Amino acid sequence: MHQRKIKPIIGISIGDINGIGAEVTMKALLDNRTYKTFTPLIYAHGKALTFYRKQLGMDDFNFAQIRSIEEIQHKRINVINVNEECPEVIPGVETQEAGKFALETLKMAVNDLKEGKIQALVTAPLNKNNVNSEELHFIGHTEFITNEVGAKESLMLMVSEQLRVGLVTGHVPLAKVAENVTQERIIQKANLLLKSLEKDFGINKPKIAILGLNPHAGEDGLLGEEEKKIIKPAIHALKDQNKMVFGPYPADGFFGMGHQTKFDGVLAMYHDQGLVPFKSMAFSTGVNFTAGLPVVRTSPDHGTAYNIAGKNVADEGSMRAAIFLAADIIQLHNPQESED
């Protein structure tokens, strides 16, 4: 007899309640596909969502208020109160209370993710400035979650239908990028990208492009020697492992001529080298996926956007894409899971 599986639970940490996180989350979850393959659980406070439901005129957004995951309702949007009290919601205003609350929602969600109570986590944007404190130096979601789940390394991978871009260096000051571009790190990140393309995206024998660091990929040493001394040897080492890697390519010409369409993924050397072309092509539908972790984590590719918070103009496309990419990856990892 066929036993029907319980749908996976996708947790959503609400981020900064004074930014657009609540708005894009609520709008994204009104998609009529929401209940078909997963159950959403928002880590926030019911009062914050009730505030935005009224502020945005979203009378059709309804949710079940639960005290623990054991009470979850699989055909509804669920909200769990992270704290007894909800901080004051002031759209567009940076407050210490909102920063503290964002961190507490993230910590609770990550803990449930580690314990297997939820099968994926989608993180709504927070503000690093009001999250940081003397006790915590918060660089970003990617680094925080990587550390919390005990992974040695991870890969920030930007995903859209047109492009997948991984980064050798992530949240690193530009002045320190070159010293962080090492042969070992390129090999490590390239292998994380290749493995993720197979495991998380179902691509057999993936092919990736590796970008150079300097203008014109160094111009044979005229504009920098990192390509000759570091990047090319790393590519040769990967080829010796029978990996389908190519490059180094000058970043401007590579994207300018649309060469990204010939590859399953691209490995950029630093943050803006990869994210500027990515967001130019896919800002409203792009997803930040953390590859290389033992858990599934995605997020939209934008920030808190205080300037439009509470005005009902935020585009939920990226958040929707982040939620449904998480659902797709769970399904790929567990193909035996049946739909309800």
Side-chain angles (χ1 to χ4, degrees), residues 215-225 227-228 232:
H216 305 287
E219 198 92 70
D220 286 326
L222 183 66
L223 301 176
E225 296 196 329
E227 284 76 14
K228 290 173 70 175
K232 285 182 180 178

Side-chain angles (χ1 to χ4, degrees), residues 180-195:
N180 281 280
V181 173
T182 64
Q183 188 173 331
E184 180 185 24
R185 183 166 280 151
I186 292 168
I187 293 170
Q188 183 184 57
K189 299 293 188 181
N191 278 320
L192 282 172
L193 176 55
L194 289 161
K195 185 177 179 181

Side-chain angles (χ1 to χ4, degrees), residues 107-119:
K107 284 181 174 178
M108 184 176 180
V110 171
N111 191 59
D112 286 351
L113 184 66
K114 290 193 291 185
E115 293 183 3
K117 293 180 180 179
I118 59 177
Q119 283 63 61

